[in-house]
Amino acid sequence: VFTPKMHLTEVVDGPAEKVKTLVAMELMRHIKIGNLPEYQLLALNETKGFNVFSAKSFVNIIAMLGNMLSERWLVWRKLYLSKIKRVWLSKKKYADQLDLLNEKIAGQKRKADPRVQRRKVRQLAREIIKDFWNDPKNSQLHNDNESLVSDDPPAIFERAKSARESLRKRRGQEDPGAESALRELAMAKVTTSTDVLDVEALSMKSYRPSQQTTNFDRKKRTVWEKLFAVDSDVRHGRLGKHLKNEYKDALALDEREQTGRHQVESMIGTAEPTHANMGHFDVSSVKRGLVVEGAALKHLLGDPILEEMLFAVASCCESVIACRVSPIQKALLLKMVRKYVAPTPTTLAIGDGANDVGMIQEAHIGIGISGLEGQQAVNASDFAIAQFRFLEPLLLIHGRWNFMRMSKAVLFFFYKNAALVGSIIVFSS
């Protein structure tokens, strides 16, 4: 469910170049903030060594051999289908079975080493973004290429570097750490960044000579802090509450200039700053949503690398909505989930019209809603309900009852077969 606190990404209809660039930028943004660690360079370039005496390495070797045997078996089935079985199969059945085998072979290769496909996805995303910014038509836009295609930490970790650079530029001034210069630098940082307070810019007075006067008022220390404080900063009065009033006024920002911070806090659900998030926030904790139009999906679906790129972005979102999509696109989206989620999940599709038939048939479990749009969805589904609100009792009540009954039936068949075969063995001797 979408909420006003979510960061919403809309992939709307447009030129293929812009649609692919938007998805590629969103992918690199998730990689950068740490939502997709398996796509980061450290994970992609990791070398897996084998130790003969390690149990984990032994399991990896067994899994690798199993993947090789499965791949060889699928290749043999494809050869048998193309050389022998196609003699008595119709063209449609042959094409369907060949496509199914090709998908299984591709899935087996991804399972053997998923890093190969992830490298291709990341490389394609970088190329798409690079080509977009190299286009002269996009030269007037803000080029954020470097920050999007790199795994550098967020700008909050680069404050010391920016402070040193600002000091270097002010070396030629008479007083690089003047009060007005520092205040101007801090305010510039505030108005040009999502960070409301640049601590490094405001703390550049620590680079100034020691004969300068301090900004802390030692008279604000309490008796307990003077006598019993163990921390030297507390004992010497170097906390925020010990700042001079005029320095506090210089650092205080107007409420209208803190809009960016309030928006971020509302996005992550922390209206009041706490000790853990004072002065910074965790970008990866921001809830995200994705809206994709069917006209934009036509530029992404069909290409395995673009499909995986779209799925990686969607997997980082709390809510995903695909609107104005065709029946075949609905089926392809569900097929994409079955293909790229490991292990393969059990999917459920629910619909009420003829345009949902392909999606219902593609899912493991199809549910049709009988209503004003006809009975096509009901006829193609595994279960039929009259209203959408009946889905909850169907899954949680009747689904559990069916699971228990099937479990008892399976156990009964085991006991029945054991008794039958045992009696045959005993009396036949």
Side-chain angles (χ1 to χ4, degrees):
V1 179
F2 285 123
T3 61
K5 297 182 179 181
M6 281 188 176
H7 178 277
L8 183 61
T9 302
E10 298 181 72
V11 184
V12 298
D13 185 18
E17 177 190 5
K18 291 187 177 180
V19 173
K20 295 177 182 178
T21 303
L22 178 59
V23 177
M25 285 183 174
E26 193 67 19
L27 174 74
M28 299 307 299
R29 185 176 292 112
H30 283 293
I31 295 175
K32 178 181 175 182
I33 65 180
N35 288 340
L36 293 171
E38 63 273 11
Y39 286 88
Q40 292 181 348
L41 293 177
L42 183 63
L44 295 178
N45 299 329
E46 181 184 4
T47 57
K48 297 182 178 180
F50 289 97
N51 184 3
V52 181
F53 303 100
S54 174
K56 185 177 180 180
S57 298
F58 180 75
V59 173
N60 291 334
I61 293 175
I62 297 298
M64 184 176 62
L65 293 176
N67 291 329
M68 291 177 58
L69 292 176
S70 299
E71 187 175 351
R72 296 294 181 273
W73 169 249
L74 291 174
V75 171
W76 185 88
R77 286 181 57 187
K78 182 179 179 180
L79 182 64
Y80 172 74
L81 175 65
S82 59
K83 300 298 182 181
I84 301 176
K85 197 174 180 180
R86 68 174 302 177
V87 175
W88 61 82
L89 288 178
S90 63
K91 291 184 178 180
K92 186 177 183 303
K93 287 186 177 181
Y94 171 72
D96 293 341
Q97 293 188 14
L98 185 62
D99 292 341
L100 182 61
L101 279 177
N102 289 332
E103 291 178 3
K104 289 183 178 180
I105 292 174
Q108 192 65 33
K109 291 181 179 179
R110 287 195 305 271
K111 182 179 178 182
D113 191 1
R115 295 179 298 174
V116 176
Q117 186 76 359
R118 289 168 185 167
R119 290 192 192 100
K120 295 180 180 179
V121 172
R122 182 187 173 100
Q123 183 64 27
L124 179 61
R126 294 173 63 94
E127 293 176 357
I128 290 174
I129 297 173
K130 184 178 179 180
D131 294 341
F132 180 80
W133 290 125
N134 289 337
D135 191 350
K137 296 184 295 184
N138 304 319
S139 59
Q140 70 275 12
L141 300 177
H142 175 61
N143 192 338
D144 198 20
N145 187 19
E146 293 299 328
S147 62
L148 287 172
V149 300
S150 63
D151 290 338
D152 297 334
I156 188 172
F157 298 105
E158 299 296 322
R159 286 179 174 176
K161 185 186 297 183
S162 63
R164 288 194 298 267
E165 183 68 19
S166 301
L167 276 177
R168 186 185 62 81
K169 292 180 179 180
R170 287 171 168 77
R171 295 275 183 189
Q173 297 181 7
E174 182 178 357
D175 186 6
E179 190 80 15
S180 59
L182 289 176
R183 191 181 310 169
E184 180 183 355
L185 175 61
M187 295 300 293
K189 285 285 184 180
V190 169
T191 55
T192 59
S193 174
T194 55
D195 297 325
V196 174
L197 190 62
D198 194 335
V199 179
E200 292 298 330
L202 293 177
S203 63
M204 280 196 293
K205 292 187 177 183
S206 60
Y207 291 91
R208 298 170 65 184
S210 58
Q211 64 266 22
Q212 297 290 337
T213 57
T214 179
N215 294 311
F216 297 99
D217 188 359
R218 298 172 62 90
K219 295 181 180 180
K220 291 187 175 182
R221 295 178 299 168
T222 63
V223 177
W224 297 99
E225 292 174 345
K226 295 177 183 178
L227 300 179
F228 302 105
V230 178
D231 192 349
S232 60
D233 290 334
V234 179
R235 187 169 61 253
H236 296 291
R238 291 197 293 262
L239 299 180
K241 64 179 181 179
H242 301 139
L243 287 172
K244 293 182 179 179
N245 293 331
E246 56 269 20
Y247 190 65
K248 282 187 176 181
D249 295 338
L251 297 180
L253 300 175
D254 189 78
E255 184 69 20
R256 291 173 297 178
E257 295 173 354
Q258 297 191 20
T259 306
R261 179 174 181 175
H262 292 326
Q263 289 178 351
V264 171
E265 289 177 350
S266 62
M267 246 191 289
I268 64 176
T270 57
E272 294 295 333
T274 60
H275 179 72
N277 59 19
M278 183 71 71
H280 67 278
F281 65 96
D282 185 7
V283 183
S284 60
S285 63
V286 178
K287 294 184 177 180
R288 296 177 179 270
L290 179 65
V291 177
V292 187
E293 286 189 0
L297 284 175
K298 67 182 180 182
H299 304 304
L300 303 173
L301 298 179
D303 189 336
I305 300 180
L306 291 175
E307 284 183 356
E308 185 166 352
M309 188 185 302
L310 175 63
F311 178 78
V313 173
S315 62
C316 298
C317 298
E318 298 284 335
S319 301
V320 180
I321 291 181
C323 57
R324 302 185 183 93
V325 295
S326 62
I328 187 64
Q329 287 177 338
K330 292 183 179 181
L332 289 176
L333 286 174
L334 195 142
K335 190 176 182 180
M336 185 175 64
V337 173
R338 295 180 58 176
K339 182 188 297 184
Y340 295 110
V341 176
T344 303
T346 301
T347 56
L348 182 146
I350 181 169
D352 61 349
N355 58 341
D356 301 319
V357 171
M359 176 182 64
I360 291 174
Q361 292 180 341
E362 186 67 32
H364 292 95
I365 303 171
I367 299 178
I369 302 177
S370 58
L372 300 177
E373 297 193 22
Q375 298 292 319
Q376 290 89 344
V378 173
N379 295 334
S381 63
D382 302 310
F383 301 93
I385 56 178
Q387 297 181 19
F388 187 82
R389 63 187 178 90
F390 296 152
L391 179 63
E392 182 179 358
L394 176 65
L395 295 177
L396 302 182
I397 298 177
H398 298 283
R400 175 171 172 79
W401 286 351
N402 183 69
F403 176 76
M404 295 173 65
R405 291 164 182 164
M406 290 296 295
S407 301
K408 292 180 180 179
V410 170
L411 292 176
F412 171 76
F413 281 118
F414 275 113
Y415 295 143
K416 184 261 296 182
N417 293 334
L420 180 62
V421 174
S423 60
I424 293 175
I425 293 175
V426 170
F427 289 101
S428 63
S429 60

